[in-house]
Amino acid sequence: MYTIHQYREDIYKVVAFKGVRDPDSYLFRETENVQHNDRKLDNNFSRARSMVLQYALCNPWDYFFTGTLDRKKFDRYNLDTYAGKLMQFIRDKRKKYAASFQVLLVPEHHKDGAWHMHGLVFGLPETALCPFAPPAPQKLIENGFLNWPDYMEKFGFCSLAPIRDPIATAFYISKYVSKDLSQRAKELGKHLYFHSRPLKKAEKASDVYWHNQRLEDCCTHEYDFCKVGMVEGVNWMFPYQWDGVDFPCEELPSMRPIAEPLQDFDPQTIDPFWDGSFEQSTFL
């Protein structure tokens, strides 16, 4: 069985299940033993990264955001306080600007253990932003980064970069949901990412109840009970639930798996803190 979800007009996710999706099936039944903590952390990590990628692909983001904390204003090591005040700040600015702008934010550690935020923003009024000028670092000026003075006054340094490659940027922001960050899940109720509401999610396009080699070829990552893959470059969906009867395979449109979404992407155009490396792990 395959389930297909639409993320954007031309991007779909294909999930090939290896067993039946019956919740009472022994294939999906947990043992009586409680899961180990590392298994829980892996599950939280995978779920959070998948949701960040989904939100990142399904919404029309304008800017890549980086925000830090001024040590004179906040405890840079207290993420809960920072995140709480930041989300309240966003709600307050919505009222001030009379604009329902949206955000998707992922925290990251500085090398010294302090926190900062990376994220995506859309709908923020241009009147709330301004270009960087000397004595700001030259790379901020040359790459067209923008300052958000209200944030800077409240919290500290920030930058917003216009998004030129929305697909690569979506995969890039998902990499910040790291296994190190997932250690927060050991504390009950800790979030691995933050977002405003409402944000669009992927929509189910179809179920396919029959083996299909072209769908199999799209599944580039394999897990215990399923195989998954992201498909780009086509605008298609199965118009109904297909059982393999009287539906020629050659009528399916061409499909191209998203194999290396960051291969030709230059993060320094949007992320002033990029250290020149990518995390080598699945983005699904």
Side-chain angles (χ1 to χ4, degrees):
M1 174 182 173
Y2 307 89
T3 294
I4 302 166
H5 285 82
Q6 183 178 18
Y7 280 56
R8 295 166 55 97
E9 181 179 356
D10 60 346
I11 293 182
Y12 293 77
K13 184 175 184 178
V14 178
V15 182
F17 293 95
K18 299 178 181 179
V20 295
R21 297 182 68 188
D22 180 354
D24 295 325
S25 170
Y26 74 93
L27 289 174
F28 295 92
R29 191 181 302 154
E30 294 290 346
T31 64
E32 294 181 358
N33 295 327
V34 178
Q35 286 182 317
H36 294 297
N37 285 338
D38 56 350
R39 177 76 174 272
K40 290 182 178 179
L41 292 178
D42 285 345
N43 290 341
N44 286 332
F45 163 73
S46 298
R47 189 182 308 112
R49 173 168 276 189
S50 177
M51 286 306 304
V52 167
L53 180 60
Q54 184 174 161
Y55 285 133
L57 284 172
C58 293
N59 293 274
W61 305 104
D62 299 319
Y63 300 104
F64 185 92
F65 169 78
T66 300
T68 68
L69 284 174
D70 185 337
R71 67 179 73 246
K72 298 178 181 178
K73 299 177 179 179
F74 285 94
D75 178 0
R76 298 167 63 240
Y77 303 91
N78 189 328
L79 176 59
D80 294 329
T81 297
Y82 175 28
K85 290 187 177 297
L86 177 55
M87 296 309 291
Q88 183 60 52
F89 169 83
I90 290 168
R91 290 189 288 270
D92 292 343
K93 294 310 169 188
R94 281 176 162 182
K95 297 177 183 178
K96 175 182 176 180
Y97 305 150
S100 184
F101 64 92
Q102 306 290 347
V103 300
L104 172 64
L105 303 171
V106 182
E108 186 191 30
H109 272 126
H110 285 289
K111 291 182 179 180
D112 66 354
W115 291 99
H116 62 277
M117 289 282 188
H118 292 286
L120 305 174
V121 179
F122 76 84
L124 185 61
E126 293 184 5
T127 53
L129 308 175
C130 63
F132 281 101
Q138 194 64 25
K139 68 178 181 179
L140 297 179
I141 300 172
E142 292 177 351
N143 286 318
F145 287 88
L146 299 174
N147 190 15
W148 186 4
D150 283 343
Y151 178 96
M152 183 179 65
E153 180 180 349
K154 175 72 174 180
F155 296 100
F157 169 81
C158 72
S159 71
L160 293 98
I163 294 174
R164 300 176 179 87
D165 187 337
I167 296 175
T169 300
F171 280 89
Y172 179 71
I173 189 64
S174 72
K175 90 177 189 67
Y176 281 109
V177 183
S178 65
K179 294 228 175 182
D180 288 340
L181 179 61
S182 72
Q183 298 298 314
R184 275 175 50 82
K186 289 190 294 187
E187 301 178 59
L188 185 63
K190 299 299 185 183
H191 295 286
L192 305 184
Y193 63 96
F194 306 88
H195 65 90
S196 55
R197 293 179 175 84
L199 290 180
K200 294 181 180 179
K201 298 181 181 180
E203 297 183 358
K204 187 174 182 179
S206 182
D207 288 327
V208 179
Y209 298 102
W210 199 263
H211 177 269
N212 183 280
Q213 190 58 48
R214 297 174 73 179
L215 292 178
E216 285 289 324
D217 293 342
C218 292
C219 297
T220 54
H221 294 78
E222 186 164 352
Y223 303 99
D224 289 343
F225 303 116
C226 67
K227 295 184 289 185
V228 301
M230 303 295 292
V231 179
E232 67 174 338
V234 291
N235 184 0
W236 69 276
M237 68 175 63
F238 288 90
Y240 47 80
Q241 293 183 336
W242 179 51
D243 61 4
V245 178
D246 298 326
F247 192 87
C249 182
E250 57 268 18
E251 290 188 10
L252 293 177
S254 59
M255 294 173 276
R256 182 173 70 252
I258 301 178
E260 299 181 39
L262 299 177
Q263 184 175 15
D264 300 317
F265 180 59
D266 183 7
Q268 66 182 346
T269 61
I270 62 170
D271 185 357
F273 288 167
W274 184 57
D275 62 3
S277 64
F278 285 121
E279 181 180 323
Q280 298 300 314
S281 59
T282 175
F283 291 94
L284 302 179

